[in-house]
Amino acid sequence: MLGLYFHIPFCASKCSYCDFYSFPGTDAQMDRYTAALCQSIKTFPPEPADTVYFGGGTPSLLGGARLTAILNAAREHFQLTRDAEITVECNPDSMNAAFLSALRTAGVNRLSIGIQSAHADELRLLGRRHTFRQAQEAILLAKEYGFDNLAVDLMCGLPGQTTEKLMYSLEQVLALHPAHLSCYGLKLEEGTPLFRTQPDLPDDDTQAEAWEALCSRLASAGFLHYEISNFCKPGRRSRHNSKYWDLSEYLGLGAAAHSFYRGERFAFPRDAGAFIGGVQPIPEEAVSGFNAREEYLMLRLRTSEGISRADYERRFGDFYPIFQTLRALEPHGLTLCSASACRLSERGFLVSNAIIRLLLQTIHS
């Protein structure tokens, strides 16, 4: 079924590592943007959808009433299933009792909370507005309001971060009993404050040691490593994000939102004013030169299932060159191959970019 994504571009302040489209917004801008999203929903044919995801930016900054209005418009127009997964990204400093009560009433059943670290110095470096204490209080408050499907974000590979520092943050987060954890490595994105300062990042060996320790600890805590950066308790995978990794269709609405809908890819410009004014999305081929087979290989190798022979051959034809390339890496402990599928090992995940480049060379040779 269809997944619905709403991009909320408003943030109280910009984090030092962030290159997503976001900016501080006034109440009037938020009202106009909410109205534009509700109107944009009506421009697409109604059809069944089983996931809704509010990303950003900081969707929690929009407030409960506006998020409820958007969700109600989506529910009225699209045929949301009774068990639809409805996720809102939140920052700890913009979560309070009134907000959480409004989301529960509206039918939101999953929160994704950006904690990033349990260390004050790392939070300051990243430009986060909250303290870890605030994050703890926000999660406890969310549980009081009946939210049990809680996802938490952590960041690794930070300047000065040792294995011990990362594992301390992990233990502090595990003590809060989340259902899902995403752990992303810091990337110095061009144009961000961190990119301009060019801080020294941990070397590859240090990052690999920390990553392997994190994966091992999460496995012992009962988490499934189902995608390179994502871990979950059984039954708590992100159903919405899984649509991206298996090339299911999703409709993205809002400034900078991307879609894969009815076999076509398109994106709205990174311009909230233009979106409010009714701008139409742009075909994504004109944006980034989409190649279906390349994207399929890159996305599927991020998952614990990997590449299915039957699915690949149904979509693109002969699987044997892919199988040969990945099978050759198996003696090095980087891949696991069978007659029906190939996937990366935990060690392979660490060098996934190099393996993907090798596969792209294979399909173009």
Side-chain angles (χ1 to χ4, degrees), residues 187-204:
K187 287 183 64 179
L188 300 178
E189 302 285 1
E190 190 169 354
T192 63
L194 270 184
F195 180 86
R196 290 192 288 272
T197 60
Q198 287 294 306
D200 289 330
L201 302 183
D203 60 37
D204 290 346

Side-chain angles (χ1 to χ4, degrees), residues 113-128:
I113 303 168
I115 293 181
Q116 314 307 357
S117 174
H119 297 281
D121 61 332
E122 290 182 345
L123 292 172
R124 284 193 298 271
L125 173 80
L126 296 172
R128 303 296 292 177

Side-chain angles (χ1 to χ4, degrees), residues 1-4 6 41-42 44-52 70-86 239 243 251 261-262:
M1 289 189 182
L2 188 66
L4 302 175
F6 296 101
I41 287 168
K42 301 173 185 177
F44 293 89
E47 58 185 277
D50 65 350
T51 66
V52 180
I70 298 164
L71 183 54
N72 285 344
R75 186 176 282 116
E76 182 178 331
H77 184 74
F78 293 99
Q79 303 164 43
L80 290 190
T81 59
R82 292 177 63 86
D83 68 339
E85 177 193 84
I86 304 173
R239 287 163 50 193
K243 292 181 183 294
L251 179 62
Y261 179 68
R262 296 193 169 184

Side-chain angles (χ1 to χ4, degrees), residues 9-24 56-58 61 89-93 113-117 122-130 153 155 158 186-197:
F10 305 108
C11 274
S13 60
K14 194 84 166 175
C15 294
S16 62
Y17 58 89
C18 179
D19 72 336
F20 291 127
Y21 178 62
S22 62
F23 60 93
T58 308
L61 196 64
E89 288 184 353
C90 303
N91 277 0
D93 60 312
I113 303 168
I115 293 181
Q116 314 307 357
S117 174
E122 290 182 345
L123 292 172
R124 284 193 298 271
L125 173 80
L126 296 172
R128 303 296 292 177
R129 295 173 58 87
H130 67 272
D153 289 351
M155 293 190 73
L158 303 180
L186 174 65
K187 287 183 64 179
L188 300 178
E189 302 285 1
E190 190 169 354
T192 63
L194 270 184
F195 180 86
R196 290 192 288 272
T197 60

Side-chain angles (χ1 to χ4, degrees), residues 40-239:
S40 183
I41 287 168
K42 301 173 185 177
T43 64
F44 293 89
E47 58 185 277
D50 65 350
T51 66
V52 180
Y53 195 103
F54 291 89
T58 308
S60 51
L61 196 64
L62 203 62
R66 297 186 186 97
L67 290 170
T68 297
I70 298 164
L71 183 54
N72 285 344
R75 186 176 282 116
E76 182 178 331
H77 184 74
F78 293 99
Q79 303 164 43
L80 290 190
T81 59
R82 292 177 63 86
D83 68 339
E85 177 193 84
I86 304 173
T87 305
V88 175
E89 288 184 353
C90 303
N91 277 0
D93 60 312
S94 54
M95 296 169 64
N96 56 40
F99 171 75
L100 293 167
S101 177
L103 294 195
R104 284 295 291 172
T105 301
V108 174
N109 51 30
R110 185 174 184 271
L111 302 179
S112 179
I113 303 168
I115 293 181
Q116 314 307 357
S117 174
H119 297 281
D121 61 332
E122 290 182 345
L123 292 172
R124 284 193 298 271
L125 173 80
L126 296 172
R128 303 296 292 177
R129 295 173 58 87
H130 67 272
T131 64
F132 184 67
R133 177 68 176 172
Q134 284 179 300
Q136 292 172 308
E137 291 171 350
I139 285 183
L140 293 175
L141 186 61
K143 290 184 176 183
E144 285 182 24
Y145 278 86
F147 289 98
D148 63 350
N149 194 0
L150 298 176
V152 168
D153 289 351
L154 281 180
M155 293 190 73
C156 57
L158 303 180
Q161 187 182 66
T162 62
T163 298
E164 291 71 26
K165 287 191 77 171
L166 176 61
M167 295 306 289
Y168 176 84
S169 288
L170 178 62
E171 292 298 337
Q172 294 300 304
V173 164
L174 288 178
L176 299 171
H177 304 291
H180 188 284
L181 189 139
S182 299
C183 191
Y184 299 102
L186 174 65
K187 287 183 64 179
L188 300 178
E189 302 285 1
E190 190 169 354
T192 63
L194 270 184
F195 180 86
R196 290 192 288 272
T197 60
Q198 287 294 306
D200 289 330
L201 302 183
D203 60 37
D204 290 346
D205 288 342
T206 300
Q207 292 200 46
E209 175 190 290
W211 181 252
E212 288 176 344
L214 179 138
C215 292
S216 177
R217 178 66 182 97
L218 285 171
S220 71
F223 283 78
L224 307 175
H225 192 181
Y226 73 100
E227 194 271 345
I228 283 184
S229 301
N230 289 277
F231 307 78
C232 69
K233 287 296 183 74
R236 294 300 198 180
R237 294 188 183 205
S238 170
R239 287 163 50 193

